[in-house]
Amino acid sequence: MNSIVKQPTNGRAIKGSILSNDRKTTYAELRTDLLERFPSGFAPGGVAIDDIAQLRLQNTFDTHLDIARAMATVMRRDMAEYDADSSKFTQSLGCWSGFHAQQMIKSVKRQRGGSSKGAYVYLSGWMVAGLRNRFGHLPDQSMHEKTAVVDLVEEIYVSLRQADEVALNDLFKALKDARTAGDTKAEAAAIAAIDGFETHVVPIIADIDAGFGNEHATYLLAKELIRAGACCLQIENQVSDAKQCGHQDGKVTVPREDFIEKLRACRLAFEELGVSDGLVVARTDSLGAGLTQKIPVSQKPGDLAAEYTKWLKTEPVTNASPLGEGEVAIWLDGKLVRPSRLANGLFKFREETGRARVIEDCIASINEGGADLLWIETDTPNVNEIASIVAEIRKAAPSAKLAYNNSPSFNWTLSIRKQIRAEWLAEGRIGADAYPDGNALMAAALDDSELGREADARLARFQVDIAAKAGVFHNLITLPTFHLTAKSVDELATGYFGSDRMKAYVNTVQREEIRRGVSAVKHQHEVGSDLGDTFKEMVGGDRALKAGGHANTMNQFAAA
């Protein structure tokens, strides 16, 4: 590897490269090294060493595989910090484009004094299916081309790396201006800012559905995702060719042995590519899944197959109810029984067994499959329910930790208000007529009621509570940028195509960008126009034809 780069990782710098130990990590070290090579201060062709230093430092990672290695280390360290203090949980938002991810991390850094520590990007398979494939808007059923998932990981990291380039280019411009002005204090401040710069690159948790095929297909896809930069892969225990969104009906799970083989496939992909800290999230959909495609073969009592088949819905085979033509029977609990089977050949589990199956799924995924994190799809956001499940899992897998989907598929307002109303009724705090039941709890009139205020308070602390009580290391929202885009475009279109016209754009977009400090208000700068000007100066000096001159209308936003 030829370039010399700095690899800051969320405030915990990794000294040198993952692959070599001879790389410089500060501007002064790099400049000294370059001066040893080029004592005149110029490389052949009249290339200034300061320009070489800038470009090398702007290239925060050589390859996306380097990103996967570095971000896996970041996640491992974050997990260790969470184990010591549950308030140090991590968060992400699902992003369906590189630009969404870039703007999210820029916002986090703006709020947190330049740090993105604890903030990740979630890559949702739902949004790839719904928004990022060649077949149009599709449901979350693994109908899209699997390469679209890889392409989005690649795109996100290109955008985050470009954010690094733009930000560092601004810092180097400040350094150049300070030197031109002979301001040594400003020069030192600029160098300190360059050396202390924290990359926009953060871990991505990538959703690969059920693996898009058999275990070998899963392994091949996993390798491509890792090469694109993914340090953490999330895979679910559904049948790949019958996959459904976790919040829809008709989910079909696979036997635990099958799922464990796919977890191993992901692990082998990480190890083959040298991402030894890579993480695998095992997701179980069993809480809402009542079907299985296969009945696994048990080799001995209590093995994974036996523990899976014990939950099948069956009826005894008797003289009065013999087997019919084409029916299937198994020996279960000392009896010959007929599993309940649908017309499509799928087998049914007994009702009300989902919770027990989830617990067993999770224990097997950790203890047998080596999963690093668990994901349990629930039907409502209930802290106590999640905590009680995790408590059962930890009896057999004490280190179990979760990534939890704070899903937009939940009606959060209704769910939390229902929970509070039920609690207050049980405590005798209110009577049944104090607040309406059911969907009437959504009424806007209740927003400022005691119930409404308590619901909002619980929403604000929901992630803190599940991190402390339910072992949730990572809180994510799968589809926020889908819904935000729909809402924001509707808000603008309503005003713009109505009577407000330009007032709608200025009031709801541009003025808010300026006042909130959103850098994208200077959209030319945001997409690298200044980067282009800088490079033209590097190679052409005064001959450079630049876009950022006095006639550039972006100058109107100089103070923004």
Side-chain angles (χ1 to χ4, degrees):
M1 307 179 90
N2 297 319
S3 63
I4 301 172
V5 304
K6 175 185 178 184
Q7 286 193 335
T9 53
N10 290 359
R12 292 153 293 175
I14 296 176
K15 283 288 183 182
S17 166
I18 300 288
L19 300 180
S20 64
N21 296 317
D22 60 349
R23 312 181 82 183
K24 309 306 179 186
T25 58
T26 70
Y27 172 75
E29 290 173 324
L30 176 52
R31 197 169 189 277
T32 298
D33 180 73
L34 288 168
L35 275 172
E36 289 176 0
R37 292 177 59 202
F38 310 112
S40 69
F42 293 91
V47 175
I49 63 166
D50 285 325
D51 293 341
I52 298 172
Q54 175 174 346
L55 291 178
R56 286 191 178 180
L57 289 172
Q58 283 177 186
N59 179 34
T60 44
F61 293 89
D62 280 334
T63 71
H64 287 201
L65 189 54
D66 290 336
I67 289 175
R69 294 184 181 117
M71 293 303 107
T73 301
V74 168
M75 278 195 73
R76 292 286 179 184
R77 291 176 181 175
D78 286 347
M79 288 171 66
E81 290 184 16
Y82 170 78
D83 286 340
D85 180 357
S86 67
S87 70
K88 294 182 178 179
F89 60 90
T90 55
Q91 298 170 287
S92 67
L93 295 176
C95 296
W96 58 270
S97 77
F99 184 70
H100 284 100
Q102 182 196 86
Q103 293 303 303
M104 177 188 76
I105 297 303
K106 283 192 172 193
S107 176
V108 171
K109 291 188 72 173
R110 194 165 63 246
Q111 295 173 53
R112 299 181 180 176
S115 175
S116 59
K117 181 171 167 26
Y120 301 169
V121 174
Y122 179 67
L123 190 151
S124 162
W126 190 103
M127 287 204 287
V128 174
L131 300 168
R132 292 300 304 266
N133 70 91
R134 65 182 297 177
F135 302 111
H137 304 304
L138 297 175
D140 186 17
Q141 297 173 1
S142 289
M143 296 165 64
H144 54 284
E145 68 277 27
K146 57 188 174 184
T147 52
V149 185
V150 178
D151 291 344
L152 183 51
V153 174
E154 179 83 19
E155 177 186 312
I156 288 171
Y157 278 132
V158 167
S159 291
L160 295 178
R161 291 178 69 184
Q162 184 168 341
D164 283 354
E165 290 183 279
V166 169
L168 282 163
N169 183 62
D170 289 345
L171 294 177
F172 273 98
K173 185 177 184 303
L175 175 60
K176 183 178 179 180
D177 291 345
R179 285 176 172 166
T180 301
D183 188 338
T184 56
K185 185 175 181 181
E187 179 182 356
I191 292 173
I194 291 166
D195 287 342
F197 178 79
E198 184 176 312
T199 179
H200 291 80
V201 171
V202 299
I204 287 178
I205 298 176
D207 176 6
I208 61 171
D209 289 2
F212 288 87
N214 61 26
E215 57 274 15
H216 190 231
T218 299
Y219 155 77
L220 294 174
L221 175 58
K223 286 205 299 181
E224 290 304 302
L225 284 159
I226 295 163
R227 288 191 181 106
C231 68
C232 181
L233 304 177
Q234 170 221 323
I235 187 167
E236 61 203 51
N237 69 336
Q238 292 192 49
V239 173
S240 186
D241 63 356
K243 183 255 189 300
Q244 297 278 10
C245 173
H247 292 278
Q248 291 187 308
D249 201 3
K251 294 185 289 295
V252 185
T253 62
V254 297
R256 290 172 190 138
E257 302 99 310
D258 292 24
F259 188 53
I260 287 168
E261 288 168 3
K262 290 194 172 183
L263 296 177
R264 290 172 180 158
C266 292
R267 181 68 60 202
L268 283 169
F270 277 123
E271 291 295 336
E272 177 183 338
L273 295 174
V275 186
S276 56
D277 282 337
L279 295 100
V280 181
V281 181
R283 169 177 145 180
T284 172
D285 284 292
S286 291
L287 196 61
L291 301 168
T292 183
Q293 190 178 59
K294 294 195 294 188
I295 299 176
V297 177
S298 175
Q299 303 297 329
K300 60 181 179 180
D303 64 11
L304 290 172
E307 293 299 294
Y308 188 77
T309 57
K310 73 183 182 184
W311 301 112
L312 289 172
K313 184 176 183 178
T314 63
E315 60 181 37
V317 176
T318 64
N319 290 333
S321 179
L323 286 174
E325 183 70 24
E327 285 194 305
V328 175
I330 60 172
W331 191 260
L332 193 63
D333 293 332
K335 295 177 291 186
L336 188 66
V337 296
R338 177 190 295 109
S340 178
R341 189 163 59 153
L342 302 180
N344 57 17
L346 297 173
F347 298 96
K348 296 175 70 174
F349 289 111
R350 299 198 307 274
E351 288 78 9
E352 306 302 325
T353 63
R355 185 178 187 277
R357 285 185 282 120
V358 161
I359 292 167
E360 292 181 358
D361 289 344
C362 291
I363 292 169
S365 292
I366 290 179
N367 291 348
E368 303 289 335
D372 301 289
L373 291 167
L374 302 170
W375 174 313
I376 300 170
E377 283 288 54
T378 62
D379 53 0
T380 59
N382 188 305
V383 174
N384 292 332
E385 176 190 357
I386 302 162
S388 67
I389 292 174
V390 173
E392 291 297 315
I393 295 167
R394 284 182 165 175
K395 290 177 182 178
S399 64
K401 286 183 282 291
L402 269 65
Y404 185 70
N405 178 10
N406 294 248
S407 176
S409 293
F410 302 145
N411 185 329
W412 283 83
T413 301
L414 186 59
S415 292
I416 301 300
R417 288 181 179 181
K418 277 184 174 181
Q419 290 172 32
I420 295 168
R421 181 180 183 273
E423 288 174 19
W424 287 358
L425 281 170
E427 295 166 0
R429 179 171 170 176
I430 60 171
D433 58 350
Y435 294 101
D437 197 6
N439 291 338
L441 283 169
M442 283 292 297
L446 294 177
D447 290 356
D448 198 37
S449 68
E450 186 181 10
L451 179 72
R453 290 191 296 273
E454 174 61 19
D456 284 349
R458 292 195 187 187
L459 285 169
R461 69 172 190 265
F462 180 85
Q463 294 187 350
V464 174
D465 288 347
I466 57 174
K469 300 176 182 179
V472 174
F473 158 71
H474 187 73
N475 276 289
L476 63 100
I477 307 177
T478 45
L479 317 176
T481 50
F482 171 88
H483 291 284
L484 179 65
T485 302
K487 172 188 173 294
S488 299
V489 171
D490 178 75
E491 181 180 21
L492 174 58
T494 298
Y496 181 75
F497 294 103
S499 59
D500 282 350
R501 300 182 180 87
M502 276 310 296
K503 177 186 172 185
Y505 172 74
V506 172
N507 285 14
T508 64
V509 181
Q510 190 179 81
R511 192 178 295 167
E512 286 298 303
E513 285 180 306
I514 294 170
R515 291 176 177 174
R516 293 167 67 92
V518 177
S519 61
V521 71
K522 293 184 266 190
H523 48 261
Q524 308 285 16
H525 175 272
E526 195 77 354
V527 298
S529 180
D530 287 10
L531 274 177
D533 283 355
T534 297
F535 189 80
K536 290 172 187 176
E537 284 187 307
M538 288 178 179
V539 298
D542 292 339
R543 296 184 67 253
L545 180 63
K546 298 189 293 183
H550 70 277
N552 190 323
T553 60
M554 285 288 99
N555 295 331
Q556 298 173 31
F557 300 92

